[in-house]
Amino acid sequence: MAEAALAPGGPARRRRRSWVPYALLAPGLLWLAVFFVAPMVTLGSQSLQEGNVYDGYTLTGNVGIYADAVGKYWPHLLRSVGYAATATVFALLLAYPLAYFMAQKAGRWKNVLLVLVVAPFFTSFLIRTLAWRTILSDTGPVTEVAQALHLTDLLQLLHLTNNDTLLSSKFAVIAGLTYNFLPFMILPLYAALDRLDPRLVEAAGDLYASPWQAFRHVTWPLSLPGVVAGTLLTFIPAAGDFINSRLLGNTQTVMIGQVIDSQFLRVLDYPLAAALSFVLLLMILGLVTAYVRRAGTEELV
Amino acid sequence: MAEHGAGDLRLTGLTKRFGDFTAVHPLDLTIPRGSFFALLGPSGCGKTTTLRMVAGLEEPSGGTIHLGDTDVTGTRAHRRNVNTVFQSYALFPHMTVLDNVMFGLRRKGDKQAEAKAREALELVQLGQAGGRRPGQLSGGMQQRVALARALVNRPDVLLLDEPLGALDLKLRRQMQIELKRIQQEVGLTFVHVTHDQEEAMTMADHIAVMNAGRIEQLADPATLYEHPASTFVANFLGQSNLLRARVEGGARDGLVRANTEGQELLLAADSVPEGLTDLWVGVRPEKLTLGEAGGRNRLGGRVVDASFTGVATQYVVRTPWGADLVVVQQNDGSARATPGEDVTLSWEPGREFVLDAAQDDHAGLDEVAVDG
Amino acid sequence: MAWVRRHLLFLAAVLVLAYMLVPNVVVAVFSFNDPVGRYNYTWRAFSLDAWANPCGAAGICQSLGLSLRVGLVASLTATVLGTMVAFALGRHRFRGRAGTNLLIFMPMATPEVVMGSSLLTLFLMMGLPAGTLAITIAHIMFCISFVVVAVKARVATLDPRLEEAAADLGATPLQTFLRVTFPLAFPGILAGALLAFSLSFDDYIITNFTASPSSVTFPMYVWGAAQRGAPVQVNVIGTLMFLVALLVVVAGQALAARRERSRAG
């Protein structure tokens, strides 16, 4: 390796050996190729096969399965996207003030707040989701307060709950999704807002912008990379999630992930499950691509 | 919005405290309309805090700020017809240069924002750069965009917070001249905060020298230099040789006799304050002459250092009592002294300034040395 | 009212933080519960039984052990692979950068249920039986991207001139890496490893597709228990995890702060 230093003709920055980056990339990318890309191919292939678990499958190119899958489960697909989108919007609304406070106003408390935001994330999210069953339980204080304030009536009016309790409802599922993926929203927002030079906001005020205008024209556009990354990191896992809908919802709130899971592991209808999985992936890829086009992959990674 | 507030900028008893620390002691200052005013002082002297209070970015702990007859003390920054050129420029990185310059006009709903912005860019000679992003411009160009962005609003007062600090020396000189030209062209009140005494002297009509939250002296550049009111000003603005002296006898023929380390000095009587006997006698390096041709006051010494700077040579001459005096001689072709040589320094009475010996002769020196 | 308006942002931040932390508090409080019947959802009486005997529920500590083993192997492997990729992206020029970025980004943009089900079809075709090996392979796969992101962020903040200076002072590329680049990038690598461990340790959805009845990880145990009524020990372990995570993060921050200080001093 020593002769690299003596390589002739090197200007200020020596030319690095061309094989080094490829050697560094190879193991990781190979792993992803075999265990991420290849499975997508086998998933596609599985969806076009016919047969059953016991007698085996043969590839028949049964494209009609996609029409069947979508025809039968479009409400679940739409519901998943709708719940995930709603949860993403709420997560953004909740995360922004906290991230802004942490990045711009917290001073020496910044690190303490970061720990508090990250710590729950390191605890089993299944256990935390189960805790929401305790919090929202029918006889618990939260439900009682909501009933006293007629919030339960309001939620019923909005068709987010079916009766005057909170658990096992659309409301509980969306609240759970919002809660579960909130750190994924906060951290990129925090990173973007931490980079925001407060002097730019000051300059906007100096140039006749009211606090709201300064936010709209300076803070918000400069935090957009964080908003884009955060919404993606929230929306994508939320759309495929079924733990919240399973633990906090009812039979009317079944999300697509739950369908895929049970078709694969309980019903054992592999082609249908694979097709649904593929549809979900394509749907999300379509939505994500629109985002990535605007932001570029380098910025998001 | 623009016209009614126009007038002098008047600060009355303006104070700022951060906890126990008083950044700005009660400060009274009137800055005449249309003048180029500099607030000069070392970092941490309170000049930037004063500026930020005028801009509305910092809330005063006491006192008032008037623009003409209008009290703007409680007015928030975005309602004040005052604009700032920030030290960091604070250009919006996500907007084009033109959008940056239009920002203020847009907020005020000016219909001719774009035309005015283009005009302002012409004024700072960046007519072609309107479509570019601030990140694509050099430091000097960014500085000019920041200036255009503030100027275009025709504020009652334009505040400049060390706007040239990030530029290299050559560009700084060029921008100093340009700023001065623009100020004369548009006729607005400029308040310029800086720690660079040369910059303040080049550009400003009036300079307030600040130290530790107080104004030490307020005057035009020549007065500050020739007749500093304190050792701080004497040391902070240019170099000063301070000699400890004692008055001996009264005035005769407009001259006062004084003694420093056994050497007799003649001082112009009108520069010696009434009743003062223990003095600092200050002489600027360029007012001292090597040899006896300079005047009636003479001091002997030995050259310990000579550095050639092109237009002049700077000598350090050590007196028999161990004080080092700095002498600057024009390179007019006469012979130069070499280190180790014994020389006589001379100057004519009246070229010195006189301060109370109770003051610290090192005041203002450290700040000059460490300031970056 | 004026106070509220002035501190609106502060109040909002506190409320959101409370929303995030309430479940952890509930988990901790209910670890001291003495529930009647199988469901630990309503408070009955204070008890230290579960804390005295955290492994008291059948299978809970075996599943915990399996999750720790899988988490350790998966996070270490993913950290090595991911760090290498991050250095290539952060320190080298090569062809195919956009493709690499895309390949790193994709696993993060794919729902877990899709990754899990696709791996299931791959393993079926390969004939790889479901179980610990399959789980570990899957975990390494989805951890790599997160390690790359964490390490790359750190590498991007490092001044490449430091490496040039080391080379200028006679260090070979290997010495430069070991003595300059690696120590400087270490905080990012550690952060990536911790993130990978917690992702692996916490994963249910992908694990569910690759596990066999004999390879029950802790999240799978919790899931199964939730159907039947979770034992109080689940809360004990959840609380312990929270405390350990808090300790690790606080220790990491304190260490970083001390380094910063000693560097400044």
Side-chain angles (χ1 to χ4, degrees), chain A residues 15-220:
Chain A
R15 228 180 96 248
R16 292 178 196 266
R17 293 200 148 194
S18 55
W19 56 264
V20 173
Y22 299 104
L24 287 171
L25 290 170
L29 295 191
L30 203 65
W31 197 282
L32 290 179
V34 175
F35 298 112
F36 178 77
V37 179
M40 294 302 155
V41 177
T42 55
L43 183 72
S45 150
Q46 179 73 70
S47 71
L48 300 175
Q49 295 176 8
E50 284 178 280
N52 61 60
V53 183
Y54 310 102
D55 308 328
Y57 288 97
T58 43
L59 188 66
T60 57
N62 178 23
V63 185
I65 188 83
Y66 283 90
D68 289 353
V70 175
K72 198 164 169 197
Y73 291 107
W74 65 265
H76 302 83
L77 282 163
L78 277 188
R79 188 182 295 143
S80 297
V81 171
Y83 287 5
T86 313
T88 304
V89 170
F90 280 117
L92 180 62
L93 290 177
L94 293 176
Y96 209 103
L98 178 58
Y100 187 87
F101 182 81
M102 281 163 58
Q104 297 284 334
K105 306 281 172 194
R108 60 206 178 87
W109 294 99
K110 199 185 253 189
N111 284 339
V112 176
L113 289 175
L114 258 181
V115 170
L116 288 178
V117 167
V118 175
F121 175 67
F122 281 89
T123 324
S124 167
F125 96 106
L126 272 176
I127 298 181
R128 286 182 289 125
T129 309
L130 284 173
W132 278 105
R133 273 165 83 152
T134 306
I135 297 166
L136 299 179
S137 70
D138 297 352
T139 53
V142 175
T143 307
E144 278 168 17
V145 170
Q147 283 164 347
L149 294 174
H150 296 285
L151 285 176
T152 44
D153 298 337
L154 180 71
L155 288 170
Q156 269 191 78
L157 208 70
L158 295 170
H159 295 285
L160 290 172
T161 53
N162 298 325
N163 47 43
D164 67 342
T165 60
L166 297 174
L167 205 57
S168 304
S169 68
K170 212 187 268 188
F171 162 77
V173 174
I174 291 173
L177 286 171
T178 308
Y179 163 78
N180 261 314
F181 300 106
L182 202 50
F184 292 95
M185 183 67 90
I186 292 174
L187 292 176
L189 275 180
Y190 167 77
L193 287 167
D194 197 39
R195 280 197 300 266
L196 173 74
D197 186 345
R199 290 174 295 191
L200 293 177
V201 181
E202 241 175 32
D206 185 66
L207 292 164
Y208 314 108
S210 64
W212 164 248
Q213 288 175 322
F215 175 79
R216 207 175 85 75
H217 292 288
V218 178
T219 309
W220 174 256

Side-chain angles (χ1 to χ4, degrees), chain A residues 199-200 202-211 213 217-218 221-222, chain B residues 52 76 78 80-84 90-92 94-95 104 107 149 153:
Chain A
R199 290 174 295 191
L200 293 177
E202 241 175 32
D206 185 66
L207 292 164
Y208 314 108
S210 64
Q213 288 175 322
H217 292 288
V218 178
L222 287 173
Chain B
R52 289 172 60 83
R76 297 179 67 182
H78 66 277
R80 266 183 220 198
N81 206 16
V82 170
N83 290 111
T84 310
L91 298 177
F92 305 124
H94 58 298
M95 298 180 193
R107 301 287 84 73
R149 186 178 71 172
N153 305 297

Side-chain angles (χ1 to χ4, degrees), chain A residues 251-292:
Chain A
T251 50
Q252 302 305 306
T253 64
V254 175
M255 288 170 71
I256 192 66
Q258 207 171 330
V259 176
I260 296 172
D261 184 68
S262 69
Q263 288 293 331
F264 255 119
L265 301 174
R266 253 173 289 174
V267 184
L268 301 179
D269 187 346
Y270 287 0
L272 181 77
L276 275 177
S277 207
F278 226 82
V279 170
L280 174 64
L281 178 66
L282 290 178
M283 221 166 63
I284 285 177
L285 274 187
L287 293 167
V288 168
T289 311
Y291 259 86
V292 174

